[in-house]
Amino acid sequence: MKKRVLITGAAGFLGSHLCDRFIKEGYNVIGMDNLITGDLQNIEHLFSLPSFEFYHHDVTKFVHVSGKLDYILHFASPASPIDYLKIPIQTLKVGAMGTHNLLGLAKEKGARMLIASTSEVYGDPAVHPQTEDYWGNVNPVGPRGVYDEAKRYQEAITMAYHTYHGLATRIIRIFNTYGPRMRLNDGRVLPAFIGQALRGEDLTIFGDGSQTRSFCFVDDLVEGIYRLLLSDYAGPVNIGNPSEITIAQFAEEIIALTGTNQKVIYKPLPKDDPKQRQPDITLARQLLGWEPKVSRQEGLKITYEYFKSLSHEQLFKKEHKDFEGYIK
Ligand code: UDP
């Protein structure tokens, strides 16, 4: 009997890669998405497969799935700072009410539930690199609070279901991840820089570019998620690539990769933008025998090829022109 997995946010960047992986592993996959930030193009290659079903549904409403379920992976959420500024209430609801609905479903079905948490639970971290036992430095009422606090609540309610209902749960804290199927115009730094290079625009560095991030290629992340799901560890686990870089250095790498003649220009740093971020992955190494395998050089090349393959219309589609005020 094939195992059956529900993946929420299935039409998004990470969700679609997870659908691919679970189908490859021989599971029956139900993909669920309300298509607010997801795109059916990311999963259209799966629609003809008997092992794939798609439900167009918003998980903040009661979630019903008939038949058995072995696993639930909750990846539905806006995930770019500009997205959650644009739809703050939905961001809070999908992390809070969506998670609650899915935990209820997991309990009903006796399914194991894995939630996508985030390095944002550490806020602008005072501990570096970030270990799972650091409680974070989040501004609850700042612009990023709607995402950060939704994810913190999500961790709390998931742990409560584990403790009080004995539900099998897994919590992954995802650090910056990139790869094919990111939305070119989602506002995040990698698609922003590559999109600017492809359109012949200057690359916009927010602040002085000294802030750091650590970028993980999507295939490595998916491997970490797969291993964590099948492990027996209920506490939060960081999955990310510890290779840390400043945003200014990152802009230089994108300029070299794309061969653009454009220059960098500086814009104001968004409020509460974390100054540094790097995962400590000691726990993932010990528990899961996991570590990233794809170098930034390799991963960026693959991602650049993907962005180059997009249509002219996709390249010039402006999703967020009304939200440029966010960086002022
Ligand atoms: N950033 C930038 N230029 C852009 C978009 C983002 O310099 O066009 C910066 C942003 O201020 C942050 C970093 O790049 O310091 C990563 O931003 P992103 O939105 O990708 O994700 P975050 O890690 O902040 O959630």
Side-chain angles (χ1 to χ4, degrees):
M1 188 80 164
K2 276 182 151 191
K3 291 224 188 284
R4 195 155 180 250
V5 54
L6 168 65
I7 300 175
T8 75
F13 164 47
L14 297 182
S16 67
H17 284 281
L18 285 168
C19 290
D20 286 344
R21 174 66 187 261
F22 278 85
I23 283 180
K24 199 168 134 220
E25 297 288 343
Y27 290 70
N28 283 325
V29 173
I30 302 169
M32 191 175 279
D33 206 298
N34 65 0
L35 302 178
I36 286 189
T37 57
D39 187 339
L40 283 181
Q41 262 187 18
N42 291 334
I43 46 171
E44 66 183 1
H45 58 287
L46 302 176
F47 276 79
S48 60
L49 302 178
S51 51
F52 184 72
E53 291 170 83
F54 180 72
Y55 293 5
H56 185 191
H57 183 69
D58 178 344
V59 296
T60 66
K61 312 263 165 28
F62 184 82
V63 184
H64 173 73
V65 172
S66 54
K68 74 155 189 164
L69 264 188
D70 298 287
Y71 303 118
I72 298 174
L73 280 74
H74 183 24
F75 278 72
S77 177
S80 157
I82 293 186
D83 281 341
Y84 40 84
L85 204 82
K86 186 176 175 187
I87 40 175
I89 312 293
Q90 288 94 327
T91 302
L92 281 158
K93 281 170 72 178
V94 73
M97 294 152 68
T99 304
H100 191 193
N101 288 337
L102 292 161
L103 285 164
L105 180 67
K107 183 164 153 265
E108 170 68 24
K109 301 279 183 187
R112 182 178 298 181
M113 168 105 168
L114 181 145
I115 58 153
S117 186
T118 168
S119 55
E120 282 282 322
V121 300
Y122 303 123
D124 187 6
V127 165
H128 192 73
Q130 292 78 56
T131 45
E132 288 85 351
D133 55 8
Y134 174 50
W135 293 349
N137 177 31
V138 169
N139 175 3
V141 294
R144 300 172 85 104
V146 293
Y147 183 67
D148 301 7
E149 296 296 1
K151 292 291 185 178
R152 291 171 68 94
Y153 173 87
Q154 182 184 43
E155 288 198 8
I157 191 170
T158 299
M159 200 42 93
Y161 265 70
H162 175 67
T163 309
Y164 297 106
H165 292 309
L167 191 72
T169 54
R170 306 285 179 267
I171 299 173
I172 175 179
R173 290 187 180 150
I174 300 171
F175 285 65
N176 295 64
T177 302
Y178 70 97
R181 302 186 195 151
M182 284 188 102
R183 260 163 50 232
L184 186 59
N185 300 307
D186 82 353
R188 280 187 285 187
V189 67
L190 182 143
F193 284 172
I194 293 187
Q196 287 159 345
L198 287 173
R199 288 188 296 266
E201 297 168 4
D202 291 335
L203 276 61
T204 51
I205 292 184
F206 297 167
D208 64 5
S210 64
Q211 72 272 34
T212 69
R213 294 293 185 272
S214 307
F215 297 97
C216 183
F217 188 61
V218 63
D219 290 0
D220 281 331
L221 183 89
V222 166
E223 179 63 29
I225 294 167
Y226 193 71
R227 291 190 191 199
L228 178 63
L229 179 72
L230 300 184
S231 79
D232 57 5
Y233 188 76
V237 180
N238 290 340
I239 299 284
N241 190 322
S243 171
E244 187 184 10
I245 184 172
T246 67
I247 294 303
Q249 288 168 325
F250 191 57
E252 290 309 318
E253 285 193 1
I254 301 294
I255 287 170
L257 172 78
T258 58
T260 176
N261 294 322
Q262 301 301 132
K263 55 182 192 315
V264 299
I265 53 171
Y266 293 87
K267 295 214 172 189
L269 191 67
K271 187 165 163 35
D272 298 337
D273 196 287
K275 282 180 275 309
Q276 51 182 4
R277 183 182 289 155
Q278 182 192 33
D280 182 319
I281 58 164
T282 309
L283 185 61
R285 280 199 174 100
Q286 283 167 358
L287 271 178
L288 314 173
W290 176 88
E291 61 182 11
K293 298 269 185 275
V294 182
S295 69
R296 204 167 50 241
Q297 206 190 9
E298 268 175 281
L300 285 181
K301 237 176 109 201
I302 298 168
T303 310
Y304 181 45
E305 290 307 316
Y306 168 77
F307 284 131
K308 274 202 297 192
S309 76
L310 297 179
S311 67
H312 184 267
E313 191 195 348
Q314 283 166 310
L315 183 60
F316 283 89
K317 187 169 142 204
K318 279 254 188 279
E319 291 188 49
H320 288 301
K321 57 177 183 298
D322 299 342
F323 289 87
E324 278 161 10
Y326 140 85
I327 57 165
K328 298 216 173 86

